Amino acid sequence: MSAIQSLSPQGLYSSASVPAKISLKFTVSCCSLAPSPVTVVNGNAAEKRPQERNEIRLGLPSKGRMAADTIDLLKDCQLSVKQVNPRQYVAEISQLPNLEVWFQRPKDVVRKLVNGDLDLGIVGLDTVHEHGQGNEDLIIIHDALEFGDCRLSLAIPKYGIFENVNSIKDLAEMPQWTPERPLRVATGFTYMGPKFLKENGLKYVTFSTADGALEAAPAMGIADAIVDLVSSGTTLRENNLKEIEGGVILESQAVLVASRKSLVQRKGVLDITHEMLERLEAHLRAIGQFTVTANMRGSSAEEVAERVLSQPSLSGLQGPTISPVFCKRNGRAVADYYAIVICVPKKALYKSVQQLRAIGGSGVLVSPLTYIFDEETPRWRQLLSELGL
């Protein structure tokens, strides 16, 4: 890869050509493709050392939408984060004794997991890859927490020399890129960006890091392309930028990540991880699921089951639960009706109610599910296997 070049608009563009309300700061940055064995502490290099402490530490994002969504998810799992003073960076979860919650910048959560200052963390998968840089001590416990969805993507202008460029292959084959005139990319992802472009055959590339509206860089002539997080793609389109085939570097969402060393060596970390994983799995599996209960007249539970199972939307998770509904007649307890209980997804709810009515169901009750606990969560078995336990 060629050396990083400083890209500055001063002297290249007149003040009249720069949009008035856009502030961009570009700095020279060296992009390394390999993680360093040295830890930087307060600006000084220091060797990694094991952390001697008894408390188990969970790192959470300190600001923004990711922080709010993380707190909400934990609350929905009956793991409420209690922060005595909102200005403090430490909190607790009363249901998990001996656990400290530390609010940090997402990238610092990952760095401190690697350094041994934290044991567990919730951050975006893109943050794990960018700042973990393939470190083998990082292990993903849950890879789909169902919030923070986005993708890290390469975007180029729709116009000019890029008008007919529709794939990463097209971009790599453009004759314009030479040692004297490399492709200029603005990004905050100085590990994954260079790695991705190198792997896709782009030999002549320079990178600049930027704080601010990256989407403005191509229009200002400061960069030819950007590598940035994309959610809906609306901001790209509004700035005349486009994603291209093969240009998605990573599909990302919030994940639960841990230090492998902590899981194996620190007392209590594996137990807390198990409980968090079970609560998360049970809650996430229940999202969008409803319990449907109805009464149905029948001669036996088997006969009612035959009718229920004849309808494709009424099979439930493993099959319907059917039990007799007793009433007293002539001094005896008799069962003319049976109660049917099934679990159905939200998208099939109305259709399921219609099918229950069609086969004789009445008094249909619907209630949302909060948790669905499996006999054992598959992710837990996978984790134990990966740890060799």
Side-chain angles (χ1 to χ4, degrees), residues 36-49 115:
S36 169
V38 177
T39 304
V40 176
V41 182
N42 295 327
N44 299 315
E47 294 299 321
K48 293 180 186 177
R49 63 189 187 280
N115 294 341

Side-chain angles (χ1 to χ4, degrees), residues 312-331:
S313 295
L314 303 182
S315 58
L317 293 176
Q318 296 169 323
T321 299
I322 298 174
S323 54
V325 177
F326 290 97
C327 64
K328 198 167 186 180
R329 186 184 305 143
N330 299 326

Side-chain angles (χ1 to χ4, degrees), residues 287-290 313 344-354:
I287 291 176
Q289 298 284 340
F290 288 81
S313 295
V344 299
K346 184 177 182 179
K347 61 183 180 181
L349 179 59
Y350 184 64
K351 184 177 181 180
S352 299
V353 172
Q354 286 181 311

Side-chain angles (χ1 to χ4, degrees), residues 234-250:
T234 301
T235 305
L236 290 181
R237 291 190 293 272
E238 289 178 347
N239 285 275
N240 289 315
L241 298 176
K242 64 181 178 181
E243 295 176 272
I244 55 178
E245 181 183 346
V248 176
I249 301 171
L250 180 73

Side-chain angles (χ1 to χ4, degrees), residues 22 30 58 86-87 90 119 144 146 156 176 186-188 198 206 260 264 273 283 303 319 322 331-332 341 347 364:
I22 295 175
C30 239
L58 168 68
R87 293 183 178 273
V90 65
D119 305 303
E146 303 294 338
I156 60 175
Q176 283 87 348
T187 185
K198 182 179 180 180
T206 59
R260 187 184 300 266
V264 174
T273 301
H283 169 66
E303 184 267 329
I322 298 174
R332 295 176 56 228
V341 180
K347 61 183 180 181
V364 181

Side-chain angles (χ1 to χ4, degrees), residues 76-260:
D76 289 339
C77 296
Q78 302 298 311
L79 295 173
S80 296
V81 178
K82 295 183 178 179
Q83 195 175 10
V84 177
N85 185 338
R87 293 183 178 273
Q88 289 182 335
Y89 288 98
V90 65
E92 65 178 20
I93 297 176
S94 58
Q95 293 86 351
L96 299 175
N98 203 38
L99 177 75
E100 292 180 346
V101 176
W102 286 84
F103 294 102
Q104 301 283 298
R105 294 182 303 177
K107 63 182 180 181
D108 289 334
V109 169
V110 176
R111 288 169 177 167
K112 290 177 180 179
L113 281 168
V114 171
N115 294 341
D117 297 312
L118 294 173
D119 305 303
L120 297 157
I122 295 178
V123 292
L125 183 61
D126 60 286
T127 306
V128 175
H129 281 261
E130 175 66 19
H131 299 285
Q133 299 187 7
N135 191 292
E136 293 183 356
D137 187 54
L138 294 175
I139 183 168
I140 304 295
I141 306 297
H142 198 299
D143 60 353
L145 295 182
E146 303 294 338
F147 69 92
D149 296 75
C150 60
R151 58 190 178 275
L152 182 63
S153 192
L154 174 72
I156 60 175
K158 296 179 179 179
Y159 49 85
I161 61 173
F162 299 103
E163 186 175 357
N164 296 317
V165 175
N166 298 306
S167 70
I168 190 72
K169 184 174 181 290
D170 293 342
L171 184 66
E173 292 176 350
M174 290 179 69
Q176 283 87 348
W177 318 131
T178 66
E180 293 74 28
R181 176 55 174 95
L183 175 72
R184 301 169 301 160
V185 180
T187 185
F189 290 83
T190 56
Y191 171 73
M192 281 194 288
K195 184 173 182 289
F196 173 78
L197 291 178
K198 182 179 180 180
E199 290 171 351
N200 281 275
L202 283 109
K203 298 179 181 178
Y204 308 116
V205 188
T206 59
F207 292 84
S208 60
T209 58
D211 297 322
L214 278 181
E215 295 84 359
M220 296 177 69
I222 297 171
D224 302 304
I226 66 171
V227 169
D228 202 8
L229 293 175
V230 180
S231 295
S232 65
T234 301
T235 305
L236 290 181
R237 291 190 293 272
E238 289 178 347
N239 285 275
N240 289 315
L241 298 176
K242 64 181 178 181
E243 295 176 272
I244 55 178
E245 181 183 346
V248 176
I249 301 171
L250 180 73
E251 295 284 354
S252 180
Q253 63 175 296
V255 299
L256 174 63
V257 61
S259 160
R260 187 184 300 266

